[in-house]
Amino acid sequence: DPAALQSFHTHLLKSRRILALLGAGLSAPSGLPTFRGPGGLWRTHSGPSLATPQAFAANPALVWQFYSHRRHLALSVQPNPAHYALAALATRVPAFQALSQNVDGLSQRAGHPPGQLQLLHGTLFAVHCSDEATCGYSAPDFTDPIVPALAIPTASQTPGGKPLDISHPDTPLPTPAHHDLPICPKCETHLLRPSVVWFGEALPSAVLDTVETYLDDPAGVDLMLVIGTSAQVFPAAGYIAQAEARGAKICVVDLEAGGGGPGDWVFTGDAAVVVPKLLEPLIGAVAAG
Ligand code: APR
């Protein structure tokens, strides 16, 4: 709708303080499954049912396989034009902060300045000791030699050289014994775990503080982009109303009409196509990167 786009562009060019809430739909064009859409299941479990401390306590090997699979997938795909457009916006608008629910590292690989990217739900590429309270070990850049027993066969290791569809329930996967799983090198007792925020866990306090400080600024918020998220998971989704309460106009980008909730502007389409168009007046035409 050219009128809506024009009206959005007018507001964008007047905006100084911009927030974005990013969800799995931003990375879907890159080929990563979302959580609640088709393909959002993982083998015989739904992703969210594995993203819990209870699942990890009950079956750490299964949870490690889930996260190794997701890390494997994330490394095998590329950032898309929407990631690059948001990274370009960050370099042009110093008071732009992206609040990302994604743990896939694609925004970082698109060159998004780390100081303007708040990882609300952590990252697949860091681990810490599962006995957080007493041990405190963490490794910010777990380069993941995937635990041998979890090793996911690469295309060259499979018959016919075809990559295995390891998310398919019938694809045989090694079920690693507990002793195959990564043990904390500091306490040498407890398992390492992915530094991803699980359901029921608090968001990283440093991230919470950064977002709260941003929202408490008397200058308020001019614009909040809501991109590729069903906005059903809190406290992340709560930032939309908080931004609105501080004056922000809301712009929703979602593949499904109605996805992501209401907004002053709602653009239905693929984030990889829509986001670069929305930001073009500020960032110029975005190369696919
Ligand atoms: N372009 C734009 N939007 C898309 C696209 C696309 N190509 N593909 C899917 N979407 C939309 C879907 O319509 C949906 O509204 O992205 C949204 C994805 O929603 P979810 O799957 O619920 O993902 P998300 O909102 O990121 O989930 C939030 O839930 O499971 C937890 O911690 C996990 O961070 C995750 C949180």
Side-chain angles (χ1 to χ4, degrees), residues 23-25 28-29 34-37 48 101-102 121 199 228-231 233 253-256 259-260 269-271:
T34 61
F35 287 88
R36 294 170 181 81
Q101 301 171 92
N102 297 338
H121 294 163
F199 284 100
T229 179
S230 57
V233 172
V253 176
D254 201 282
L255 192 65
E256 311 291 333
D270 182 305

Side-chain angles (χ1 to χ4, degrees), residues 151-179:
I152 292 169
T154 58
S156 59
Q157 293 163 329
T158 48
K162 284 196 307 347
L164 277 184
D165 171 6
I166 57 171
S167 59
H168 192 281
D170 300 340
T171 304
L173 271 186
T175 307
H178 195 285
H179 56 72

Side-chain angles (χ1 to χ4, degrees), residues 141-232:
D141 53 1
F142 178 61
T143 48
D144 191 19
I146 290 179
V147 180
L150 297 180
I152 292 169
T154 58
S156 59
Q157 293 163 329
T158 48
K162 284 196 307 347
L164 277 184
D165 171 6
I166 57 171
S167 59
H168 192 281
D170 300 340
T171 304
L173 271 186
T175 307
H178 195 285
H179 56 72
D180 288 329
L181 300 178
I183 300 284
C184 173
K186 185 179 169 203
C187 67
E188 296 178 330
T189 314
H190 298 282
L191 289 177
L192 288 176
R193 57 162 281 182
S195 293
V196 171
V197 177
W198 285 333
F199 284 100
E201 295 186 320
L203 274 56
S205 52
V207 169
L208 286 175
D209 293 346
T210 301
V211 181
E212 289 310 307
T213 304
Y214 190 99
L215 288 168
D216 287 347
D217 189 308
V221 184
D222 301 313
L223 171 63
M224 177 154 215
L225 305 168
V226 178
I227 301 173
T229 179
S230 57
Q232 288 173 13

Side-chain angles (χ1 to χ4, degrees), residues 258-284:
D264 299 282
W265 299 274
V266 177
F267 296 99
T268 303
D270 182 305
V273 173
V274 173
V275 174
K277 279 210 187 73
L278 290 182
L279 302 181
E280 190 160 353
L282 272 184
I283 62 173

